[in-house]
Amino acid sequence: MAATAQDLLDALLAQSRLMVSMEFALALLLISNMLLLFFKMRVTRRAKRTLEGVERTLENVTEQEAILREVAKHAKDGLVYQDMNARILWANPAYCQTMGYELEEIVGRRPQEFCFPEDAKPSAEEIENYVFDTDSYEFHQLVRRLNVRKNGERFWNEFNLSVVRPNAGEKRVILVSRDVTSQVLREQELEEAQSYLMHAAHHDALTALQNRAAFLKSAETILERPDPDGRQMGMIFLDLDHFKAINDSNGHAAGDQLLIHVAEAMRETARAGDLCCRMGGDEFVMACPGVSDFDTLQLVADTLSERIRTPIEWGDLTLTCSASIGIALSLGQEMKAEDLIRSADFALYEAKRPGAPSVARYDAELHSRQEVENALLEEFADCLDRDAVNFVYQPILDARTGKIRSFETLARWTRADGEVIPPDRFLPFAARLNRMADIDFAAMRATSSLVAELERRGHRVRGAFNTSSEALAHPDFMARLERVARDAGLPSEALVAEVLETTFFGPDTTDSLAAARINELRQQGFSVYLDDFGVGYAGLAHLGQLDVSGVKLDRSLVANVVHDRSARIITTSILRLCDELGVGTLAEGIETAEQAEFLYRHGCYRLQGFGIARPMARGDVIKMIETGAPITIPSEGSQIPRSA
């Protein structure tokens, strides 16, 4: 019984161990199966991810290829894919459209076969043997060349080249190009504009000769460079004789044609290295480097003078002119170009003297005279600085009443030693010094002062003063005039500005600064008279356009009005025209009773001249006006009537 129990116990223990072993085995099997499943799952997921990555890569590649195809299709620049022998393997639509070919027409061909104009096309052999040189300029810079489309139209093509090696295979070349014709044309227009502006900055617009600034710079450079043979620079200064009369009789267009003719004559005469310049107006200069003596320079000047005298045909007219010429040599002195021009200009004035030869040399005698002139110039400049210019006053007669109703203020220069220098001597000094406006402003003050003094004495008169173009252009002109009138307590109508008729040029004076200033003067109540009227082209042509109070008949007309039929016709026509336009008239230069009576009969009642009264001091004018004595004209001894 005990054995059986023991055996049963052993059996149970054995079974128990067997069961444990089986459970363990089963557990191990389960674990192994689980591990196999885990690893299988890991491998499957990794493979799936790999497959998904490949799929995405393929999708990306496909998408990029589609994008590249769209980019190439719609790109504005031309794209060309070529082999190293320049054969086209592919081109985008933009390139085909630019060149005017279908893709099928150019694939397999080289661009050199069809893109170059015939006059720039390489030979067939050169095209056949062409191989890209990757070290050439074309592979490192943008290149611009003239190309031709299929229809023969030429255009500018800009391109660059790049080398690629697709899939580590053979080298290929990519060309990127664009039509830059409009850009090239704009660049050309800009270059032409810059060239024009550069030329305009250094040349006279009418004659295309150098202008003053460019000429002086060029001449100065030559003067600073010594001549190896010791030769000098010659200077020729000329202006045309009676050029104003040519303009007056034929118009400014004819005058311009003569100026162009002079410029051509200078070009024909100039030697190699000579410089030609239009200084302004009808003044020209020529610099002649390497001149050994005056005779050589004289020969050039004589040749130039002869060519200028050659008649020219202009429309139905034959135009002729002559020139007065001054010549000067640097003569080994360290001279500036301005000094040499001034010397030649001084000689020019010598050539203009009656009976003088048409070409005058600046010699030792003229040099001495110029030194005197320069001393006078400095003295006059000092006079202006001290406001020491004197003034005299010439009465103007109202022939209808026999009374002095106005006067003109005239500048005078009295030197320290008492010598009186006439205006025709010192006014050119003022012009050279650019001080004309200073004299005009001083005359303005002297005029208003005398008018105010006469007003206080019970005499209502008007005072006139000369007004240069320089004064009219002065930005402070109107303000000064208004201030002078206000300080003197005068109404604006008491002052008269006399403006030279020659201030106005061109066909449309209404746009000129002088015309605008005259309108401003009139609007403020001041009177404006055109001086020296009747001998200039501008006056008759534009009298109706200028808002002037009156005109002052030139003394050259008045001097001949009695005995010269043409002068009478011109004078009476002017008087009749002024009457119709409601413009006042005044005659200057009255010397005789016959002149005064003729003008009086034809409606010109305001008279001025030595026959009426000479310019006089301030006190004498006051005395003449206060006494009211009748004016006796020389010659016939007749009196101007006191009433009309």
Side-chain angles (χ1 to χ4, degrees):
M1 192 64 187
T4 304
Q6 184 64 42
D7 292 338
L8 180 59
L9 178 61
D10 292 339
L12 288 171
L13 290 172
Q15 187 176 4
S16 176
R17 286 195 293 272
L18 178 61
M19 290 179 65
V20 170
S21 298
M22 290 178 65
E23 288 176 359
F24 180 73
L26 287 171
L28 288 176
L29 179 61
L30 179 61
I31 290 170
S32 64
N33 287 335
M34 290 177 66
L35 288 173
L36 286 173
L37 179 61
F38 173 75
F39 284 118
K40 184 177 180 181
M41 290 175 65
R42 287 284 303 274
V43 170
T44 301
R45 284 198 297 271
R46 183 178 298 172
K48 184 177 180 181
R49 284 198 301 270
T50 300
L51 290 173
E52 289 174 349
V54 170
E55 289 176 355
R56 284 196 298 271
T57 300
L58 291 174
E59 289 175 358
N60 289 338
V61 169
T62 302
E63 183 180 359
Q64 289 175 6
E65 287 180 349
I67 291 172
L68 291 174
R69 281 195 298 271
E70 288 300 308
V71 168
K73 178 180 178 181
H74 296 287
K76 300 298 183 182
D77 290 346
L79 303 174
V80 183
Y81 192 56
Q82 300 171 268
D83 65 18
M84 293 304 292
N85 296 108
R87 290 187 182 87
I88 296 174
L89 304 176
W90 172 87
N92 73 337
Y95 182 80
C96 295
Q97 183 178 1
T98 298
M99 301 307 301
Y101 291 91
E102 297 295 331
L103 180 61
E104 294 78 11
E105 295 180 271
I106 59 175
V107 169
R109 300 175 66 188
R110 298 175 174 88
Q112 296 95 319
E113 298 176 30
F114 57 83
C115 72
F116 291 127
E118 286 299 324
D119 54 0
K121 189 174 181 180
S123 66
E125 183 179 357
E126 289 173 323
I127 295 174
E128 182 63 30
N129 296 325
Y130 184 81
V131 177
F132 279 119
D133 178 5
T134 57
D135 294 326
S136 67
Y137 173 85
E138 295 176 337
F139 280 85
H140 298 88
Q141 301 290 338
L142 278 173
V143 180
R144 185 179 291 176
R145 287 185 180 161
L146 189 63
N147 279 190
V148 62
R149 308 187 210 279
K150 183 179 181 180
N151 63 5
E153 179 186 356
R154 297 189 177 203
F155 71 100
W156 286 99
N157 198 10
E158 188 175 76
F159 65 88
N160 66 335
L161 301 171
S162 302
V163 177
V164 295
R165 191 188 292 271
N167 302 321
E170 296 182 9
K171 291 181 180 179
R172 294 289 186 255
V173 173
I174 296 176
L175 177 146
V176 181
S177 67
R178 66 173 54 184
D179 182 345
V180 293
T181 304
S182 60
Q183 178 183 337
V184 170
L185 292 177
R186 284 195 301 270
E187 291 172 357
Q188 290 175 348
E189 290 173 357
L190 180 60
E191 289 176 2
E192 290 173 1
Q194 290 173 335
S195 176
Y196 171 79
L197 291 174
M198 182 64 69
H199 186 274
H202 296 90
H203 293 81
D204 172 60
L206 178 65
T207 64
L209 297 180
Q210 278 190 316
N211 60 21
R212 181 187 180 93
F215 176 83
L216 286 174
K217 184 177 181 180
S218 301
E220 201 67 56
T221 300
I222 296 172
L223 281 170
E224 291 172 354
R225 187 172 57 243
D227 188 283
D229 299 321
R231 294 171 298 185
Q232 308 303 315
M233 176 182 280
M235 190 68 68
I236 298 174
F237 198 124
L238 71 90
D239 75 359
L240 299 183
D241 299 326
H242 314 299
F243 183 66
K244 182 177 182 296
I246 295 172
N247 266 340
D248 293 343
S249 58
N250 299 301
H252 286 284
D256 287 349
Q257 197 62 37
L258 279 178
L259 295 176
I260 294 171
H261 165 65
V262 172
E264 290 299 324
M266 294 184 76
R267 292 189 186 95
E268 293 170 1
T269 306
R271 310 162 309 152
D274 288 351
L275 306 174
C276 299
C277 165
R278 182 188 178 198
M279 298 290 281
D282 62 331
E283 293 183 338
F284 296 81
V285 292
M286 179 188 291
C288 304
V291 174
S292 56
D293 51 37
F294 264 118
D295 290 341
T296 303
L297 189 59
Q298 177 90 37
L299 180 61
V300 177
D302 288 341
T303 303
L304 176 58
S305 178
E306 184 178 348
R307 284 179 170 154
I308 290 173
R309 286 196 299 268
T310 303
I312 62 170
E313 300 299 324
W314 185 72
D316 298 331
L317 299 174
T318 299
L319 303 176
T320 58
C321 64
S322 60
S324 296
I325 299 176
I327 61 177
L329 280 177
S330 54
L331 298 176
Q333 305 171 23
E334 292 184 1
M335 298 187 71
K336 297 293 184 182
E338 285 275 19
D339 297 330
L340 192 53
I341 291 172
R342 195 172 295 116
S343 297
D345 188 19
F346 198 81
L348 167 64
Y349 280 98
E350 182 67 18
K352 285 185 170 296
R353 293 179 184 273
S358 60
V359 178
R361 300 181 179 187
Y362 182 79
D363 53 17
E365 180 184 350
L366 280 185
H367 177 66
S368 298
R369 283 168 49 189
Q370 188 186 29
E371 288 185 333
V372 173
E373 290 290 306
N374 288 341
L376 278 175
L377 179 66
E378 292 180 8
E379 187 178 341
F380 182 67
D382 178 66
C383 173
L384 289 175
D385 292 338
R386 293 183 290 107
D387 197 19
V389 175
N390 301 319
F391 293 96
V392 293
Y393 309 88
Q394 187 170 27
I396 299 172
L397 178 70
D398 183 346
R400 291 169 297 187
T401 64
K403 298 288 187 180
I404 300 299
R405 296 299 189 189
S406 56
F407 63 86
E408 179 184 4
T409 302
L410 303 168
R412 294 291 184 266
W413 175 31
T414 303
R415 301 180 65 191
D417 60 4
E419 180 187 3
V420 178
I421 307 298
D424 61 356
R425 186 86 182 277
F426 70 78
L427 287 180
F429 290 162
R432 283 173 58 181
L433 295 167
N434 294 320
R435 302 288 295 274
M436 288 294 294
D438 291 340
I439 297 177
D440 295 340
F441 290 142
M444 182 192 297
R445 294 191 296 271
T447 303
S448 62
S449 174
L450 180 53
V451 172
E453 173 67 18
L454 290 166
E455 286 273 359
R456 286 193 293 270
R457 292 172 178 265
H459 306 287
R460 183 171 294 277
V461 297
R462 295 200 304 171
F465 60 93
N466 290 297
T467 309
S468 65
S469 57
E470 182 182 329
L472 282 176
H474 196 287
D476 202 28
F477 175 79
M478 283 302 302
R480 289 196 186 201
L481 179 57
E482 290 171 349
R483 184 167 59 250
V484 163
R486 184 174 61 251
D487 292 347
L490 297 175
S492 54
E493 58 266 20
L495 298 177
V496 180
E498 291 191 1
V499 182
L500 282 175
E501 179 211 17
T502 50
T503 299
F504 305 94
F505 294 98
D508 189 3
T509 61
T510 56
D511 291 336
S512 72
L513 173 62
R517 185 54 54 83
I518 283 177
N519 291 336
E520 191 175 0
L521 282 165
R522 298 287 287 123
Q523 289 170 5
Q524 298 303 318
F526 296 99
S527 295
V528 180
Y529 267 66
L530 287 186
D531 201 359
D532 293 349
F533 190 84
V535 294
Y537 171 80
L540 287 174
H542 306 111
L543 182 59
Q545 302 176 30
L546 297 172
D547 185 19
V548 295
S549 313
V551 300
K552 195 171 185 179
L553 294 179
D554 185 76
R555 63 180 68 249
S556 63
L557 283 177
V558 173
N560 298 308
V561 75
V562 175
H563 305 291
D564 185 271
R565 180 174 178 272
S566 297
R568 288 197 302 272
I569 292 173
I570 294 172
T571 301
T572 54
S573 297
I574 292 173
L575 294 175
R576 186 165 53 251
L577 175 63
C578 289
D579 182 59
E580 292 175 359
L581 294 173
V583 174
T585 56
L586 184 157
E588 64 177 342
I590 299 292
E591 300 284 349
T592 70
E594 296 159 307
Q595 296 166 346
E597 290 167 357
F598 177 89
L599 291 163
Y600 181 85
R601 288 197 308 270
H602 289 87
C604 182
Y605 306 122
R606 301 180 66 232
L607 309 174
Q608 178 184 3
F610 284 6
I612 307 294
R614 289 179 174 272
M616 58 187 67
R618 176 187 176 109
D620 294 333
V621 175
I622 295 174
K623 182 178 179 181
M624 173 179 277
I625 292 176
E626 288 197 319
T627 59
I631 305 298
T632 300
I633 307 296
S635 182
E636 298 295 332
S638 59
Q639 277 189 327
I640 299 295
R642 285 183 172 272
S643 59

